[in-house]
Amino acid sequence: MDIQLTINDISLKVPEGMSILDAARTVNIDIPTLCYLKLNEMHYNNNIASCRVCVVEVEGRRNLASSCSTPVASGMVVKTDSLRAIQARRAMVELLLSDHPKSCLTCAKNQDCDLQSLASELGVRHISYEGEESEFEIDKSSFSIVRDPNKCIRCRRCETMCNEVQTVGVYSAVGRGFNTVVKTAFDLPLHETSCTFCGQCIAVCPTGALTELDQVDKVWKALNDPNQFVVVQTAPAVRVALGEEFDLEPGTIVTGKMVGALRRLGFDRVFDTDFAADLTIMEEATELVHRIQHGGRLPLLTSCCPAWVKFFEHQFPDLLDIPSTCKSPHEMLGVLIKSYYAKTLGIDPKSITVVSVMPCVAKKYEAARPELAQSAETADVDIVITTRELARMIREASIHFDHLKDKEFDHPLGESTGAAIIFGATGGVLEAALRTAYEVLTGETLEKVEFEALRGMDGIKEAVIPIAGRDYRIAVIHGLGNARTVLEKIKAGESNYDVIEIMACPGGCIGGGGQPYHHGNMDILQARAAAIYREDRAKPLRKSHENLAIVSLYKDYLGEPYGKKAHQLLHTSYTARKKI
């Protein structure tokens, strides 16, 4: 039922139960927020009204009301811009700043911080409140995330994302009043917890309290070392988001300019992780067929996402035999660069530095896993930087991104098909696998390569795909909370899927924790996904097994898919971990 109210002298009708904040937004009235976060497609809100910067004046009420948590009422008259409301907002922001480090210029979220932006909008030029400031130890223990509680404003967005959306349960607010702080269980360093390093807490944190572990300096050091042959690879989702860092519209495809920028930065070779995505399909699709034909354990779960891998190691260690043993694509490419490609060029693998540009902060942790190395001295991938870190490098080098001419990836490890590019969006891995599995199992050409049932932002998507007289029961999942729901069913024997794709982040890699901040705007993820599928349609080849460079790689080096050498180089194992 709709109700009538007035906001800033504008009469409007909105559904009963809507918040004042959301009602105001229907008529383009902006009310500032800090703690508020609305994730429509995931059906989660953070509206605990802890920051109090969204307060408004409601006629007939003595106290100001937090617009994010106050429902509208029939006949309500609201003023969002009254002097009283504005003064209250300024006071709240000044109070937050009084207990906040004054290191904005060197902060990783400088110019991308909600608190900084709001202080500027409200014209805060001095702090009226002086007194004690909190002092907490900065946690740099993990390979992925830096946690600085001194910059925390207790908005608890990270709690909502970690505990409710991802169901990992790492963060919790502890203490009362001035001593309140968001901590890990038992105040443990992050690497000793069940954290999956998905980075979704970073994506929603409004300040620099949570950031990725910056590895840009390591890249510059490698590039300036004349004894190192530095190779870079870029993930599918990076090319549809990087442009946002240079004021391009979300979903702008910047593949050619990205390659051009990487060459200008001084990398010796620029390869495409999409090549290894095609390789992953060859291995994973063959592994699925092998399990089906030999009575192996089903369902097969995809293993491209390191945050998801760490999630099941902690939360479902009794199911370690279900996920595919395939390494993720960038790890596959890393090991090939240091074996196949090094041999081709006659270079010592120890003199090669492999840098991965990923949409994901969990890839930093993944690259440091000991099982993803050929020896103690030679990791598959040496350094991982995020989309945001690459943008910072481009700006540091004073490269005018929009003036760059489009360049091509180096070959042969830069050739790819449309099946590889869709890895960046939820459902893409399974869709790519089906394009190959269909032709392998039937011996027929798949004319319609787009599987619409596997696309979209629904947290759990299900489909039955008939291939060669057999119905394949398929599920596509994004978000670790959704993964938990399905895994509990598998554990209870209530699931009969054949294959399941799971990605930790909303929307898949396009919503990764290392992508340009979307600040909870899911429309940005939709735009990135649409770009992924445009790039797929523009490719002359759209099935992984049609990649001639992949065919040559198996013929000349790997042997057959899922064979002995492929297993040695391209597959891995998992570890049961404690749940903390």
Side-chain angles (χ1 to χ4, degrees), residues 21 53 73 75 94 117 123 132 185 204 240 255 262 312 340 347 360 386 389 423 430 494-495 519 542 544 553 555 562:
L21 176 65
V53 301
E94 287 187 35
S117 299
E132 184 182 356
V204 299
V240 299
T255 311
L262 291 166
F312 74 68
Y340 168 71
I347 298 177
C360 170
T386 63
E389 287 172 281
F423 263 56
L430 270 191
E494 299 171 2
S495 161
H519 300 286
R542 301 180 67 186
S544 295
L553 177 66
K555 180 181 178 182
Y562 204 57

Side-chain angles (χ1 to χ4, degrees), residues 215-231:
Q215 294 193 311
V216 167
D217 286 347
K218 287 186 176 182
V219 181
W220 285 125
K221 183 178 179 181
L223 288 172
N224 283 289
D225 186 343
N227 298 314
Q228 283 297 300
F229 187 84
V230 188
V231 178

